[in-house]
Amino acid sequence: MKKSSFLLAAMLAAVIGTGFAPTFTSTAFAQQAAEEKKLDTTVRPEFIKAMPELQKLLDEKKYAETEEKLKTLDAMDKKLPYEIFMLHRFRAIIGSSTGNSELLVNSLVGLIESPYLKPEERLRMTNGVAVEYFNAKQYDKAMVWTQRYLQSDPKDITVQSMVARIHYLKADYPATIKKLDEILALNKAAGVKPSEETLKLYASCYQHQKNMAGYANVLELMVEHYPTRELWSDLIYRIQSKPGFSDRLRLDMYRLLISNGTMDDGAQYVEMAELALLAALPSEAKQTLDAGYSAGLLGTGKDAAKHKQLRDRVNKQVADELKSQEADETAARNAKGGTGLINTGYSYVIRGQIEKGVQLMELGMSKGSLKYEDEARLHMGMAYLKAGNRDKAKEVFATLKGADAADLARLWLLTRPAAQN
């Protein structure tokens, strides 16, 4: 018998590099690991002599012939541990190259159970076995190997995600949600956003359980990280559809819709404009109608005349508002409570005089005696967002007491900054 040489390791390294999947690394690492552990890497001359021919067969993608050659070597009596390791390695190459999952898995397991791998290589191959079982839909076996992998690397999000998918495919939605919660915590700790696939899986679990509150929470995560018009529309609809949603906040709901580009009906623009007029905010009503006309949803069809009448009425009130703004501001400053200053200040914010509007609103907040305190605080936070002061907005939003206003505040913090300016 002859000790395996550097030449043997080099030949094997060349073989491993031929059409081999990324899961596997050079057999040279096995030799290094064996030397570090003082393991026996003895092989017989028959194995060394077969290396060039095996190399050539693999280069030529003659996998059946390679397997026949390996069978000859495998038939030798009393194979040595390192010879068995080499046979597993070659068969793993064949299994990977030919898509023979059973051969690949059996070979990988043999390699993993050998003492000749470094820990990092054993870990990669353990992952490889889990993936093969998962792809073969043998989920129980895949779970065994993912858990074996996670014992060494519990923070691997990719493997944790495989575990979540296994639970999901077995229709164990509570277990899936629990695992996804762990994945989101790992994402947060690593400072990376969760994958879109993770959030879609999360949402699907709550839908399967008919847990609409949980689904809405996931929608918030989705619009935070992967916003789309459809997601925004769905989320806002679910917020305003909650039982008991305050009618006083309906205008604020429309503000969110228009800020995120999800107004798609002329009737919505009309209702928002009318609500703005009722709130004594004709400038906002004008902006709303202008947006509806620009979108081609107003000024056409059987209601075109009604749209024009509303627009004319709004334009007149805008002119009146501009004439009376100084008097309105003076009256608000002289009032005992702060409600007038909040409303007057917000009207300035809407007209683009954001700094002045914010100052008046802050003065109104300091006066107190607010008729609708949550509503005032919500608008104060929205004004801060318009001013680009996100920290102050979060500070004010944190003081909201009502669930409806708090829901809308969270969505404002998720709204694209461009939409807030």
Side-chain angles (χ1 to χ4, degrees):
M1 291 187 293
K2 184 177 180 181
K3 198 87 164 180
S4 60
S5 63
F6 176 81
L7 176 61
L8 172 61
M11 285 190 291
L12 282 173
V15 170
I16 297 306
T18 305
F20 204 53
T23 305
F24 313 108
T25 55
S26 167
T27 299
F29 283 115
Q31 289 250 312
Q32 184 180 349
E35 291 171 6
E36 290 174 357
K37 297 177 184 178
K38 296 183 170 41
L39 298 174
D40 185 10
T41 56
T42 301
V43 295
R44 286 169 285 186
E46 293 90 335
F47 272 80
I48 298 175
K49 184 179 179 180
M51 290 300 104
E53 184 179 356
L54 288 168
Q55 168 75 65
K56 185 173 183 296
L57 290 172
L58 285 175
D59 286 343
E60 295 173 354
K61 301 186 182 341
K62 295 180 178 179
Y63 302 116
E65 291 91 331
T66 307
E67 176 60 26
E68 287 302 314
K69 183 66 177 177
L70 291 174
K71 286 180 180 178
T72 301
L73 295 173
D74 204 6
M76 294 173 62
D77 291 334
K78 298 180 180 178
K79 288 186 295 295
L80 302 173
Y82 199 66
E83 293 173 344
I84 295 172
F85 173 81
M86 291 165 61
L87 291 170
H88 284 313
R89 179 74 80 164
F90 276 110
R91 286 191 170 120
I93 298 171
I94 296 170
S96 175
S97 300
T98 61
N100 187 331
S101 180
E102 183 178 359
L103 177 60
L104 176 57
V105 167
N106 289 338
S107 302
L108 285 178
V109 172
L111 291 169
I112 292 166
E113 292 175 351
S114 80
Y116 296 105
L117 296 179
K118 281 195 168 185
E120 59 269 25
E121 191 177 18
R122 179 172 287 105
L123 198 59
R124 282 192 292 272
M125 292 189 181
T126 300
N127 182 38
V129 173
V131 169
E132 287 298 315
Y133 277 132
F134 180 85
N135 291 339
K137 299 182 180 180
Q138 296 186 49
Y139 300 126
D140 289 337
K141 290 183 178 180
M143 183 66 80
V144 169
W145 284 89
T146 55
Q147 296 304 322
R148 183 168 173 174
Y149 179 97
L150 291 171
Q151 288 176 2
S152 298
D153 190 0
K155 294 183 179 181
D156 189 311
I157 291 175
T158 300
V159 178
Q160 292 280 16
S161 297
M162 194 191 310
V163 173
R165 290 197 297 274
I166 291 170
H167 285 310
Y168 180 84
L169 291 168
K170 295 177 71 175
D172 189 346
Y173 304 118
T176 309
I177 289 171
K178 182 179 179 181
K179 179 55 63 177
L180 290 172
D181 285 338
E182 294 175 15
I183 292 170
L184 291 175
L186 289 172
N187 287 142
K188 186 174 182 180
V192 298
K193 71 178 184 179
S195 71
E196 188 172 10
E197 179 187 5
T198 293
L199 296 180
K200 286 181 177 179
L201 197 66
Y202 209 12
S204 182
C205 286
Y206 282 116
Q207 286 179 310
H208 277 292
Q209 293 183 308
K210 301 188 184 323
N211 183 338
M212 293 302 103
Y215 177 69
N217 290 336
V218 179
L219 276 182
E220 290 189 26
L221 287 173
M222 294 183 78
V223 299
E224 178 181 359
H225 297 294
Y226 303 97
T228 67
R229 190 175 185 275
E230 292 73 23
L231 287 174
W232 264 115
S233 182
D234 189 8
L235 181 56
I236 296 170
Y237 171 77
R238 289 180 183 281
I239 293 297
Q240 64 95 23
S241 297
K242 286 184 175 181
F245 183 83
S246 173
D247 283 340
R248 286 197 57 82
L249 297 175
R250 190 163 181 80
L251 176 57
D252 291 298
M253 183 270 293
Y254 276 126
R255 285 166 175 157
L256 272 169
L257 283 171
I258 204 167
S259 292
N260 289 287
T262 50
M263 291 269 271
D264 53 11
D265 189 312
Q268 291 178 315
Y269 285 97
V270 169
E271 184 180 4
M272 182 177 178
E274 290 174 340
L275 288 171
L277 289 179
L278 288 173
L281 295 169
S283 291
E284 184 170 31
K286 181 181 186 311
Q287 292 171 9
T288 301
L289 293 178
D290 288 345
Y293 272 90
S294 295
L297 296 173
L298 298 180
T300 60
K302 62 182 179 63
D303 292 326
K306 292 181 180 179
H307 297 159
K308 184 179 184 305
Q309 290 174 1
L310 177 59
R311 198 176 201 185
D312 290 342
R313 180 157 58 97
V314 166
N315 286 336
K316 182 180 183 306
Q317 290 194 33
V318 168
D320 292 342
E321 178 188 38
L322 294 176
K323 290 177 184 177
S324 65
Q325 63 181 354
E326 290 186 11
D328 292 341
E329 181 181 334
T330 299
R333 286 181 181 274
N334 292 333
K336 291 183 179 179
T339 298
L341 282 167
I342 293 291
N343 295 339
T344 301
Y346 197 65
S347 69
Y348 276 111
V349 170
I350 289 169
R351 294 198 298 270
Q353 294 176 260
I354 297 175
E355 185 177 351
K356 181 174 183 177
V358 167
Q359 289 174 352
L360 289 174
M361 293 179 76
E362 287 177 333
L363 181 59
M365 295 295 293
S366 67
K367 272 194 173 187
S369 300
L370 302 171
K371 189 173 182 181
Y372 300 102
E373 187 170 344
D374 257 10
E375 191 175 327
R377 291 180 182 279
L378 176 64
H379 295 164
M380 184 77 253
M382 290 160 59
Y384 280 134
L385 287 176
K386 291 269 189 182
N389 194 337
R390 185 177 178 83
D391 290 339
K392 288 291 289 184
K394 291 175 70 174
E395 183 180 319
V396 173
F397 286 157
T399 66
L400 293 170
K401 297 175 182 177
D404 294 344
D407 285 341
L408 294 177
R410 286 198 314 277
L411 299 197
W412 275 112
L413 291 174
L414 297 177
T415 299
R416 299 181 302 274
Q420 295 163 359
N421 297 324

